[in-house]
Amino acid sequence: MTMPPLHILAPAPAELACSCAWEEASSATLDLTEQAALAALGRWLEEPARPYAILHGPRASRRAVVGAHLVRTSQERPAWDAQLVPIGPDLRLERDLLALMVSRLLGAYGGGAPRRMRMRIGEEHLRLGLAQDAPSLLLAITDVEEAEPLVSWPALFADVGPRVKVLATVEGDDAAAHAWIPRLGFDPARTRIRPLPARPWTAPGDPAELLAAADAVPARLLGLLACAYGRLREDEITTALGAPIESALAGIEPHVAVVEGTFAFRWNAARREVEECLDRGARETSTRRLLSLPPDGYPCAYVRAHLEQNDAPLQAFAALVTEEHLARWMARPEAYLGFVADLERVRRHAVEALASGHEAAALAVRAALVEASVNSCARREDDNAPVGVEPMTRETPIADERRQARALIALGSAMTAGPARAEVLAWAEDATRRIPETDFRGDAFLSLADVVEGEAGYAFAREALATFRTTENAEDRAHQMLFMATGLPPEEGIAVAREALRSLRDGAGDPGRAEVFASDFPRAVAEALWPDAEALPEPARARVLAALARALGDPERVRTAFAALEQHADPYDLDEHRRLKWLVPFLDAPDARRAAALAPRFGEQSAEIFEELIPRLIALGDPAEDLLETLPEAARVRALARSLPFAAEPVRLRAHIDETIRKAEPLERYGLLFDVGPWFAATGHSDMVLAWIAPLSDAHHQVVLGFLARHDPAHAPELTRRALSLALRLGADEPDRLIELLPLARHFPAEGAAAALGILLDAVAGDIRSAALAGDGVSLEKLAPLIAALAGDEGLAGAAREVVKVAAWFP
């Protein structure tokens, strides 16, 4: 019988291991008890309500043989696509098993990290189900205990599709089989369990007795093979033993499989029997011999597994996140797949060790950024190449100085003042000076100016101004200069803003566009520019005066600006009602009533103006009942909620709003609460808001809990804790839920914060480096509050140091 047909080849070592296991198991002859077990599993295939099965038995039972025969007989039936995933002495690591499953299950896979493999297999193939015209799938995974604890299964096999069957074979009795059900992610109510009795060893002699009786060199070889995670080459065995292979094999040949110059135990049972007979000293000696082999051979592929099994300190894992380790992997058949598998596990260990200090945070960040950098270099040209094995090109530099600067500025700004912060911001400055694009370089200098205080901050602002002055387009240059007025000393800001306004007035562009920047001017700049704005032609004058009046809040200036808007109100200008809304919070009673009379000119936008005016009128002692009557119910509720701080009877008003909202449908309430909720939360009434959405899903509750936590300081810690718990439960495939909560990271419990960082760093690692550093998705820039909460200034400085190191590694 040939191997099952392949869609994409697995990496050579995994493919070789699978071939050996298939040939060994599928060619064996079954005895009567094994034939009975095979027949029972055949009947299980016809049970639609039971997608899972576990075949269990003592160590010497041939569970893998029965599983292979089930695959073989199923392949002979066109209704089944049967695939074998054998776990054995040379196929025990998650990266190899995932690659093997991908090669059997996915017909169009583009490569990538192990986490993406799990997602593609679990969600696209096993869970969503198969195409209607495709045969049903049988996936037989043999001897799952061989991979424990190096593989995580539940994410793969939970909730498989209606035409998918998963068989797992495990060592042990009925209790052991039941214990494996949750570990595999199976549903207990939908799992068939079948026992298999033991049978005598098929080769002469019990392996344990053979080890005890063997000469020194064969005994050492048995120890090496029992402790190894993969097949050993002849030259590696000769080096490790200091003896030729012929003498090492003397007397133990029946228990060793030799394939293409590589050696491993023939059966899992024999390997485990020998491993358990080795004392701690013998195991440690064998491991040392294995890891002392040339680093580009066995140690490259398996050092991480040995570190994990020996509970090595976190510092030992740092050697796996180096350029040397990547170079060794890229010379091996597994290539990129093996390297990113190591990176993923290093991140996991680092996150688990966060309680130990900043080094853990820094290593986790390094592993994420290195993987994202490798993603930037990796490319896939040959669809028939082995799964996950992708060539790399570093011919084109990864030009992301801008993203480096943004990430470093975010990390530095989250730190407290001191030498460490100054060093991080110095790195940010260096990255900023290397940004080739003028606008982006100027923006980065401005960001530094916002972070650095005093004269140093002004110096960065002046550098930003000098950069912006080189912009060719006159209007863009004027707008950039207006923006600069906020970061310069008042006298310089006034001069720059006047120069920009004059340029716009003299033909560079619409001087009314200055309104976009004027409402954010410092008071001194707004005061100084008032006469210049008054000299502008209409309607630019009205627009700029409104923005300046908003910045000043001075009653006389507000009256002047309102009169200008009133005189030149343009209902066809979609922004005009917004300018009027700017002034509403500062209007006196007569002008507020005049604004109410003016509002209907703006058609549908009038409701927005009324929603602003009603709280202002109530604050001024006018109940505004006539305006309330003109509004639809939702707008009326929003206006009343915003009036709560000024209400004569807030308890009564709150009860009225609550009663009104409860009459709406749950999803209508959900939409309303984002306008109404802040006013309830600010006075500690978040519980009333949560009662409105009680019937809605956990996903809705998570969003609302986080929203309320930002407005309810008294209850923020508890609201945040509940929101984080839900966000983590909703899964790693929705990292945006966690990103929304990061401004509240100071309230995260330590365990939840570490779990959130692990999920988010996985998302960072899955992107390309520029987006991983800073961008709209999950990025290091956004993780600064979480790193600060978990690891403080040392963690932030360590993360920043990794940004610089990885940038130098992958220029």
Side-chain angles (χ1 to χ4, degrees):
M1 182 69 188
T2 60
M3 284 293 294
L6 302 181
H7 303 302
I8 306 173
L9 292 175
E15 189 59 51
L16 178 63
C18 186
S19 299
C20 296
W22 173 259
E23 291 167 3
E24 186 76 38
S26 64
S27 63
T29 301
L30 301 183
D31 64 16
L32 292 177
T33 58
E34 292 165 342
Q35 291 176 18
L38 178 62
L41 291 173
R43 292 190 294 273
W44 161 69
L45 291 178
E46 306 304 320
E47 295 183 79
R50 293 184 184 270
Y52 307 111
I54 293 180
L55 178 66
H56 70 92
R59 178 168 298 162
S61 62
R62 298 197 304 175
R63 306 174 302 280
V65 170
V66 175
H69 276 258
L70 181 67
V71 169
R72 187 178 69 180
T73 57
S74 299
Q75 285 178 346
E76 295 169 354
R77 301 160 58 187
W80 286 97
D81 172 18
Q83 304 291 345
L84 181 70
V85 180
I87 304 176
D90 48 356
L91 192 63
R92 298 166 65 191
L93 270 60
E94 184 171 281
R95 64 164 193 256
D96 302 321
L97 297 173
L98 286 169
L100 198 58
M101 281 190 275
V102 170
S103 75
R104 279 13 178 202
L105 301 180
L106 299 180
Y109 176 69
R115 133 183 104 261
R116 290 185 178 178
M117 291 186 179
R118 284 195 299 271
M119 181 184 70
R120 294 285 308 271
I121 296 172
E123 294 183 6
E124 296 185 17
H125 201 85
L126 297 178
R127 198 164 304 155
L128 295 181
L130 310 169
Q132 290 300 316
D133 57 347
S136 298
L137 171 68
L138 167 63
L139 191 63
I141 307 172
T142 59
D143 294 338
V144 295
E145 67 279 347
E146 279 290 298
E148 185 71 10
L150 299 171
V151 173
S152 299
W153 300 110
L156 288 177
F157 304 127
D159 302 321
V160 296
R163 292 191 297 116
V164 174
K165 293 279 189 176
V166 183
L167 166 69
T169 75
V170 303
E171 178 185 323
D173 57 14
D174 189 69
H178 279 88
W180 268 103
I181 290 176
R183 291 156 73 183
L184 291 167
F186 290 3
D187 180 351
R190 299 193 297 154
T191 301
R192 175 71 68 193
I193 296 179
R194 173 75 190 187
L196 190 67
R199 61 173 288 151
W201 293 104
T202 55
D206 182 286
E209 297 173 359
L210 188 68
L211 175 67
D215 292 338
V217 174
R220 290 204 300 272
L221 175 56
L222 287 172
L224 284 177
L225 296 180
C227 294
Y229 288 102
R231 306 187 71 85
L232 293 173
R233 301 194 310 264
E234 180 176 341
D235 61 310
E236 291 178 319
I237 291 176
T238 301
T239 300
L241 297 181
I245 194 69
E246 292 78 9
S247 61
L249 284 173
I252 65 170
E253 296 96 330
H255 291 274
V256 178
V258 185
V259 180
E260 297 182 12
T262 64
F263 298 77
F265 269 99
R266 189 176 300 277
W267 307 282
N268 291 338
R271 189 203 68 77
R272 292 173 70 81
E273 192 83 4
V274 170
E275 183 185 37
E276 291 182 4
C277 290
L278 299 174
D279 59 29
R280 179 176 178 180
R283 284 196 294 270
E284 290 178 349
T285 298
S286 293
T287 300
R288 279 198 304 273
R289 287 174 175 159
L290 290 168
L291 296 183
S292 65
L293 293 169
D296 58 344
Y298 178 91
C300 175
Y302 299 107
V303 63
R304 186 257 300 167
H306 286 288
L307 292 175
E308 289 179 338
Q309 290 298 81
N310 292 321
D311 294 323
L314 183 64
Q315 294 84 345
F317 288 91
L320 305 182
V321 196
T322 61
E323 194 163 10
E324 294 76 17
H325 194 55
L326 171 60
R328 287 192 287 266
W329 266 119
M330 295 308 294
R332 291 181 59 83
E334 303 94 327
Y336 176 50
L337 171 65
F339 183 61
V340 296
D342 282 352
L343 294 180
E344 184 179 30
R345 300 289 286 211
V346 169
R347 278 200 313 279
R348 185 181 307 174
H349 291 298
V351 169
E352 291 170 353
L354 277 169
S356 65
H358 70 279
E359 289 184 6
L363 182 57
V365 168
R366 187 200 311 175
L369 292 182
V370 166
E371 184 174 339
S373 299
V374 172
N375 293 340
S376 299
C377 299
R379 55 193 168 86
R380 189 172 183 84
E381 297 176 346
D382 181 4
D383 288 339
N384 293 318
V387 171
V389 178
E390 303 172 27
M392 287 178 56
T393 175
R394 292 172 65 174
E395 296 174 1
T396 303
I398 306 173
D400 58 1
E401 293 89 348
R402 176 195 176 204
R403 307 297 182 96
Q404 291 173 38
R406 284 177 55 181
L408 290 167
I409 290 169
L411 294 167
S413 64
M415 299 173 68
T416 55
R421 184 177 192 260
E423 184 178 30
V424 171
L425 293 177
W427 294 333
E429 179 185 353
D430 177 69
T432 295
R433 295 189 183 282
R434 290 184 282 109
I435 298 173
E437 301 89 350
T438 299
D439 290 354
F440 293 155
R441 187 167 66 252
D443 289 341
F445 275 127
L446 264 184
S447 297
L448 281 168
D450 290 338
V451 172
V452 178
E453 297 178 352
E455 186 55 38
Y458 289 144
F460 283 129
R462 294 184 187 106
E463 293 216 46
L465 176 61
T467 302
F468 288 142
R469 282 190 181 279
T470 65
T471 300
E472 292 186 9
N473 183 279
E475 185 174 17
D476 290 345
R477 183 168 64 249
H479 291 165
Q480 290 166 338
M481 292 170 67
L482 284 169
F483 186 61
M484 284 303 311
T486 62
L488 293 166
E491 300 80 4
E492 296 176 48
I494 291 167
V496 168
R498 277 186 171 146
E499 179 185 348
L501 195 59
R502 188 163 53 247
S503 173
L504 292 171
R505 187 190 61 199
D506 293 345
D510 177 8
R513 289 285 294 157
E515 67 169 337
V516 176
F517 312 95
S519 59
D520 293 323
F521 282 166
R523 185 174 185 84
V525 177
E527 286 272 11
L529 255 64
W530 187 268
D532 300 78
E534 283 201 303
L536 292 173
E538 296 293 358
R541 173 179 175 273
R543 289 157 57 184
V544 179
L545 287 179
L548 292 173
R550 181 190 185 195
L552 293 169
D554 175 70
E556 187 60 38
R557 304 287 173 78
V558 169
R559 276 192 293 272
T560 301
F562 175 69
L565 284 179
E566 187 179 27
Q567 184 178 355
H568 297 281
D570 180 1
Y572 299 103
D573 183 344
L574 297 180
D575 290 327
E576 193 79 4
H577 76 287
R578 177 175 53 83
R579 300 180 190 107
L580 185 57
K581 284 166 58 179
W582 280 352
L583 298 181
V584 165
F586 308 104
L587 295 176
D588 58 20
D591 282 349
R593 275 296 169 179
R594 284 166 57 200
L598 183 64
R601 292 194 199 179
F602 297 95
E604 294 180 358
Q605 282 78 35
S606 63
E608 294 182 37
I609 300 173
F610 287 143
E611 286 185 38
E612 292 280 345
L613 277 166
I614 289 166
R616 179 59 179 165
L617 287 168
I618 292 175
L620 294 169
D622 182 337
E625 293 176 354
D626 55 325
L627 302 186
L628 283 166
E629 290 177 1
T630 67
L631 293 178
E633 187 168 71
R636 190 182 311 131
V637 167
R638 287 194 294 265
L640 288 173
R642 296 175 65 177
S643 303
L644 276 169
F646 319 112
E649 298 181 75
V651 175
R652 183 176 177 183
L653 179 55
R654 203 160 30 242
H656 171 69
I657 295 171
D658 179 52
E659 181 183 1
T660 304
I661 290 180
R662 284 178 182 272
K663 292 178 182 177
E665 292 296 321
L667 285 175
E668 290 181 63
R669 301 179 213 165
Y670 182 73
L672 273 173
L673 69 82
F674 294 101
D675 295 308
V676 174
W679 309 99
F680 277 67
T683 53
H685 293 86
S686 294
D687 54 337
M688 295 180 70
V689 178
L690 291 172
W692 299 340
I693 60 162
L696 297 182
S697 68
D698 283 351
H700 290 97
H701 278 258
Q702 184 263 313
V703 172
V704 174
L705 286 163
F707 177 76
L708 292 174
R710 287 188 279 274
H711 297 278
D712 187 348
H715 300 99
E718 173 60 17
L719 291 168
T720 300
R721 184 190 64 77
R722 292 167 61 187
L724 178 62
S725 176
L726 286 174
L728 291 171
R729 183 148 53 87
L730 289 169
D733 55 342
E734 297 186 64
D736 285 349
R737 294 187 178 279
L738 291 168
I739 287 288
E740 291 170 2
L741 296 176
L742 291 190
L744 302 163
R746 64 190 181 280
H747 300 309
F748 286 6
E751 184 176 349
L757 184 63
I759 291 172
L760 293 173
L761 284 178
D762 272 355
V764 166
D767 219 321
I768 59 173
R769 188 177 74 185
S770 58
L773 286 164
D776 295 332
V778 182
S779 64
L780 186 60
E781 175 188 30
K782 294 180 181 177
L783 297 188
L786 182 55
I787 296 172
L790 275 167
D793 283 353
E794 289 187 67
L796 291 163
R801 191 170 294 109
E802 298 304 336
V803 171
V804 176
K805 286 181 178 179
V806 175
W809 177 357
F810 293 93

